[in-house]
């Protein structure tokens, strides 16, 4: 049974950067897709970015394109989300999720809080 755990959230000023990590334990498959979602207070959880574990191909939501970068380190079994030029509207809980397709998740982490002050 795989397990996901997020790290790296915190408080940052607008314009700043944070790097989130998602540690993956248990077996991973080359066909798996690792996703980052985020959920603002009072809002639904929405897709932010994804990466195919095997091929490394990426997809981004328009709201984060050009500012966020998703990568994965197979040796470390970790997925990263580098977030630059952060805006107050990026505030929320960020979740790592694995699944079989872009935006499809059948295993979630517990989330990490990101707060961007104006």
């Amino acid at each position: 049974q795989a397990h996901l755990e997020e790290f790296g959230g915190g408080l940052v000023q607008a314009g700043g950067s944070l790097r989130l990590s998602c540690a993956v334990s248990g077996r991973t498959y080359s066909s798996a897709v690792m996703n980052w979602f985020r959920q603002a207070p009072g809002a639904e959880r929405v897709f932010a970015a994804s990466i195919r574990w095997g091929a490394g191909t990426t997809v981004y939501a328009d709201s984060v394109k050009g500012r966020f970068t998703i990568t994965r380190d197979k040796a470390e079994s970790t997925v990263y989300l580098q977030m630059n030029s952060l805006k107050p509207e990026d505030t929320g809980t960020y979740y790592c999720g694995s699944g079989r397709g872009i935006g499809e998740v059948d295993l979630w982490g517990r989330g990490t809080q990101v707060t961007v002050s104006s």
Side-chain angles (χ1 to χ4, degrees):
Q1 179 74 23
H3 176 74
L4 308 177
E5 187 169 6
E6 301 92 338
F7 300 92
L11 172 65
V12 64
Q13 288 188 331
S17 298
L18 279 176
R19 187 175 80 156
L20 305 182
S21 303
C22 173
V24 182
S25 60
R27 187 174 180 178
T28 55
Y29 296 87
S30 61
S31 59
V33 178
M34 302 301 298
N35 299 276
W36 283 99
F37 278 68
R38 60 185 185 175
Q39 186 168 19
E44 294 184 351
R45 194 174 299 187
V46 296
F47 171 81
S50 71
I51 187 167
R52 290 197 176 273
W53 188 259
T57 51
T58 59
V59 176
Y60 297 93
D62 288 344
S63 58
V64 307
K65 199 173 294 183
R67 300 186 300 122
F68 291 10
T69 303
I70 186 172
T71 58
R72 54 87 174 98
D73 186 325
K74 290 183 177 180
E76 295 294 328
S77 294
T78 302
V79 179
Y80 299 99
L81 186 68
Q82 177 67 43
M83 306 186 295
N84 299 327
S85 302
L86 282 162
K87 305 174 182 179
E89 51 264 44
D90 294 317
T91 293
T93 303
Y94 282 68
Y95 296 91
C96 177
S98 65
R100 300 182 181 186
I102 298 167
E104 298 178 9
V105 176
D106 48 38
L107 177 68
W108 291 101
R110 295 176 64 178
T112 186
Q113 177 67 36
V114 171
T115 303
V116 184
S117 63
S118 58

